[in-house]
Amino acid sequence: MAIKTIGKHCKGCGVCVTFCPKQVLGLDALGKITVLDETKCITCKQCEMRCPDYAIFVEKK
Amino acid sequence: MEKLIEKYYRPRLPHIWCPGCGNGIVTSSIVKAIDKLGLDQDKTVIVSGIGCSSRASGYLDFDTVHSLHGRALPVATGIKLADPELNVIVITGDGDGTAIGGNHFIHTARRNINLTVILFNNNIYGMTGGQFSPLTPTASKATTAPYGTLERAFDIAELAKAAGATYVARGTAFQSKMLVDVIAEGISHDGFSLVEAVTQCPIYFGRQNKKGDASAMLKTQRDNAVTVEAAKKMTPEQLEGKFTIGVLHKSEAPEYTKQYQGVIDRAQKGAK
């Protein structure tokens, strides 16, 4: 599994952080999406589905 | 989703919508529905009016028309009549579709022309700074109603049904998988289809009405949306403050472009 984030697209709304059931995601000092602990990801893809800015993609490998 | 963006979006992201705006989710639902049905990209036309929602057409890689305020439906009607083979999808908003374009809306529904209208309902005019629209709930605050709106809001689904639309559905940005399904069904339906996509405007509607951030507004959609099937088992008291999602109305009626072809055939026969 791989989480790909696109900082250029992210506006820091925090929707992905709220809906992530495993606290994998967070916002960095600039308010952009950052992956805190990829190993906890269960590939539910809630973040990808809810991101209004197409800034996060989760791929099952 | 990444592959869909490569295939169906123009390379001009990020979009202009505010942080947390649900329009991006609804736009991706439209793209997913198009992909699900396997529509030919060169045979699909997207027409939009003016407003936040209508900016969506500029990001999508189809033949698109970003038309006049409220006038997306007449433009789409012209395109559909010129070539009934095309899949014509209209993207409009609550202000664009029901205020400025309200009259076009009811008459296009009455005609039952095979268009699919996706109405992004964010309860406010966002682009111009938060004026109330016909879909702003009563007593909500807006820039033009600092003490709350007095007017009752339209139930756009009921309006479409009464005007003669043959497919009416509602989805939310939160229940986006269901939204994809109802949009896909609307595109497949032969006749005028309306899909109301309830979306959040955390900046101009949410902030003035203390609805919280985008995540809180998505949770409100989750808590207040009731499927049509579940609503049947609930009492009116339980349904207080809730809204139904899913396919709300489906009927059969003669489709306009087919009827019009009949007129052309009759006229050509008479001329010979």
Side-chain angles (χ1 to χ4, degrees), chain B residues 126-140:
Chain B
M127 188 173 273
T128 47
Q131 294 80 5
F132 65 85
S133 84
L135 294 185
T136 305
T138 316
S140 301

Side-chain angles (χ1 to χ4, degrees), chain A residues 27-43:
Chain A
L27 298 179
D28 64 14
L30 294 169
K32 300 264 186 186
I33 177 71
T34 182
V35 182
L36 301 175
D37 186 357
E38 201 173 308
T39 54
K40 283 203 260 172
C41 179
I42 52 166
T43 340

Side-chain angles (χ1 to χ4, degrees), chain B residues 231-253:
Chain B
K232 279 179 192 157
K233 294 174 196 147
M234 288 165 78
T235 61
E237 290 81 39
Q238 287 172 316
L239 283 169
E240 191 76 31
K242 311 262 184 201
F243 60 88
T244 47
I245 54 168
V247 180
L248 306 174
H249 171 71
K250 211 173 171 183
S251 61
E252 292 290 325

Side-chain angles (χ1 to χ4, degrees), chain A residues 4 6 8-16 18-19 45-46 48-54 57 59, chain B residues 1-2 5 9 13-21 24-25 27-28 174 176-177 214-215 218-219:
Chain A
K4 183 182 171 187
I6 305 174
K8 200 183 106 186
H9 290 184
C10 179
K11 294 177 188 147
C13 65
V15 167
C16 55
T18 311
F19 288 99
K45 295 196 176 201
Q46 289 257 357
E48 183 178 322
M49 191 169 79
R50 306 214 184 282
C51 177
D53 295 295
Y54 322 123
F57 304 101
E59 197 87 15
Chain B
M1 187 63 213
E2 205 177 1
I5 287 178
Y9 282 67
L13 292 171
H15 52 60
I16 56 138
W17 294 313
C18 302
C21 171
I25 306 173
T27 307
S28 66
F174 182 84
S176 60
K177 278 197 173 157
S215 308
L218 280 166
K219 284 178 184 167

Side-chain angles (χ1 to χ4, degrees), chain B residues 20-26 119-123 171-174 197-201 205 217-218 221:
Chain B
C21 171
N23 285 2
I25 306 173
V26 181
L119 190 140
F120 291 41
N121 180 9
N122 63 357
N123 305 114
T172 67
F174 182 84
V198 177
T199 172
Q200 75 277 11
C201 173
F205 184 74
M217 290 183 86
L218 280 166
Q221 289 173 16

Side-chain angles (χ1 to χ4, degrees), chain B residues 184-202:
Chain B
E185 199 179 338
I187 296 171
S188 313
H189 178 77
D190 191 22
F192 184 87
S193 320
L194 170 82
V195 179
E196 178 188 353
V198 177
T199 172
Q200 75 277 11
C201 173

